[in-house]
């Protein structure tokens, strides 16, 4: 493979066929198929012509050759491997191949690493139809001479070498009380209704062999059991978006889901495979933000760009929050509605870079004013901005209250349905869902949220406070 050294002294893909006769072996290299696809035609022909008939027949079943990076287990002494990815990212195939690697030996009758394996889905039917009989399930992935036999009455697979994989339902956690295993494959854990109970019972049952371990394949969801597993030091994680497996997915499917969900929090979870967390007592929630999404901005009366500049400008600096927000104000403030147009935040940027990015955002959207917090930089902030554009309409703001106190009136506007979001604001929305009455419960500083708050104060909160309905005074 171009640019990557091969491990275990395997210098070419042919080494996969000479180091072992197993068709599911510990990986000696990463994606031989990728290497071959990128190689010149002459190299491809030399490789294929150099294979023996036995090796050529084994090639379709050698997952090591075809797998993507996230589908191969990390090295090291882990107990739990979590494969977290978007829909169709190849999680099920990775789980099925991992079970094969645990059950199979070098030859069909040789013992593998594990003899007793648990297969756990939310229900027996889902485990059977997806994990066992699915298009990417264990039976579909197994070569003829190693294919296990399905015993329907006992809900289990038996390999030619005697290894057994038993199917269980997570909806019946007590069924895991009694059996014992040296390996387990857990599918779609994050959607189990009795996830905590079933996971706990599995941990007590995973007690055979020198180092029992388990593979979890799931689309991420903000549930305590998954967050607890990810926080465990014995857990390793691989991640991949739906896009990573596009070669095996219908183009119409990708076009449809991307058109509908790209740039939304649901899309970040279901397509990008990112775990989105709403902090307890958050001022904003995922459900609220999804309900407030719209496709187009519509006609806007005013647009501003707000920035929350960092103190420093090096690799470890905070982000420079840059938000573009517009409002379609009317005669009565209660009818005003704002639209968040763009998150133009930059990371690890120098003052010159973030000032340039802010001015560029103004030009893209025809913004009438740049609003900048100056608590940290004072007059230096304006000086930096005017070096980029000496004539930019500029307003400095200084925080006299804490972040939460400033954010609460903005959160109230969202609760009233008076602020809408366009697509592509996922990073901003992640920060919003970690802002609570106790403060920000995420990593670093909520610079994107700070910029949003200043923009909405400028467009809606301050003008509304100054607005007075005309009255008739009786003399």
């Amino acid at each position: 493979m171009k640019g990557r050294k091969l491990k275990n002294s395997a210098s070419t893909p042919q080494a996969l066929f000479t180091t072992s006769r197993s068709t599911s072996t510990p990986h000696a290299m990463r994606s031989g198929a990728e290497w071959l696809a990128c190689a010149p035609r002459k190299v491809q022909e030399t490789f294929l012509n150099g294979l023996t008939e036995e090796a050529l027949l084994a090639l379709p079943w050698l997952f090591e050759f075809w797998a993507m990076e996230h589908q191969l287990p990390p090295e090291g002494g882990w107990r739990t491997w979590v494969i977290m990815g978007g829909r169709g990212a190849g999680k099920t195939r990775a789980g099925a191949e991992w079970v094969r690697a645990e059950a199979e030996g070098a030859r069909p009758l040789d013992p593998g690493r594990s003899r007793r394996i648990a297969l756990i889905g939310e229900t027996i039917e889902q485990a059977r139809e997806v994990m066992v009989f699915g298009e990417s399930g264990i039976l579909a992935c197994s070569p003829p001479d190693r294919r296990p036999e399905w015993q329907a009455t006992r809900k289990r697979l038996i390999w030619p070498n005697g290894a057994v994989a038993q199917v269980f339902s997570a909806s019946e956690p007590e069924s895991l009380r009694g059996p014992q295993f040296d390996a387990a494959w857990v599918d779609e854990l994050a959607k189990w209704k009795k996830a905590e109970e079933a996971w706990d019972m599995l941990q007590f049952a995973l007690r055979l062999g020198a180092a029992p371990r388990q593979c979890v394949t799931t689309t991420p969801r903000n549930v305590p059991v998954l967050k607890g597993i990810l926080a465990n030091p014995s857990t390793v994680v691989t991640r991949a978006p739906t896009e990573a497996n596009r070669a095996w997915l219908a183009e119409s499917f990708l076009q449809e889901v991307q058109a509908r969900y790209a740039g939304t929090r649901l899309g970040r979870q279901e397509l990008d495979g990112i775990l989105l967390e709403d902090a307890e007592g958050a001022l904003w929630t995922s459900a609220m933000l999804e309900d407030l999404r719209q496709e187009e901005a519509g006609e806007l009366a005013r647009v501003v760009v707000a920035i929350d500049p960092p103190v420093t400008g090096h690799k470890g600096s905070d982000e420079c929050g840059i938000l573009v927000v517009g409002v379609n104000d009317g005669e009565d403030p209660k009818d005003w509605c704002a639209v968040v147009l763009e998150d133009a935040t930059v990371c690890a940027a120098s003052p010159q870079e973030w000032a340039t990015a802010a001015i560029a955002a103004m030009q893209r959207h025809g913004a009438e004013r740049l609003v900048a917090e100056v608590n940290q930089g004072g007059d230096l902030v304006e000086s930096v901005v005017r070096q980029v554009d000496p004539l930019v309409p500029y307003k400095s703001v200084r925080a006299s209250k804490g972040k939460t106190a400033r954010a609460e009136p903005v959160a109230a506007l969202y609760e009233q349905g008076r602020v809408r979001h366009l697509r592509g604001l996922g990073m901003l929305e992640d920060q919003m869902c970690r802002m609570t009455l106790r403060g920000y419960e995420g990593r670093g500083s909520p610079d994107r949220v700070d910029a949003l708050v200043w923009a909405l104060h400028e467009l809606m909160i301050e003008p509304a406070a100054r607005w007075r309905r005309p009255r008739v005074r009786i003399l």
Side-chain angles (χ1 to χ4, degrees), residues 23 59 77 97 159 229 239 308 347 377:
T23 59
L59 185 59
E97 293 286 357
W159 273 263
I229 294 169
R239 297 178 173 88
D308 180 38
C347 304

Side-chain angles (χ1 to χ4, degrees), residues 61-81:
W61 309 102
L62 188 66
F63 189 59
E64 281 298 312
F65 188 82
W66 305 100
M68 293 176 285
E69 189 81 16
H70 70 277
Q71 294 179 305
L72 295 173
E75 297 178 352
W78 51 267
R79 177 179 173 85
T80 306
W81 172 29

Side-chain angles (χ1 to χ4, degrees), residues 118-122 127 131 166 168-170 176 184-187 192 198 202:
L119 306 177
I120 310 173
E122 185 174 21
M131 303 170 78
Q166 184 80 44
F168 293 89
S169 168
L176 290 164
W185 174 21
V186 170
D187 189 47
W192 292 358
L202 174 61

Side-chain angles (χ1 to χ4, degrees), residues 451-462:
L452 171 72
V453 168
W454 287 123
L456 288 170
H457 269 270
E458 172 68 18
L459 289 173
M460 296 184 72
I461 295 174
E462 290 181 9

Side-chain angles (χ1 to χ4, degrees), residues 280-328:
E280 185 177 351
L283 298 178
W284 295 272
T285 66
S286 299
M288 174 198 295
L289 296 175
E290 288 298 333
D291 289 341
L292 294 172
R293 197 173 311 283
Q294 66 184 40
E295 295 299 320
E296 297 180 359
E299 187 174 346
L300 300 172
R302 298 180 62 208
V303 177
V304 301
V305 172
I307 63 173
D308 180 38
V311 180
T312 58
H314 53 73
K315 187 175 181 180
S317 300
D318 289 335
E319 298 172 327
C320 177
I322 304 175
L323 266 292
V324 186
V325 184
V327 66
N328 55 349

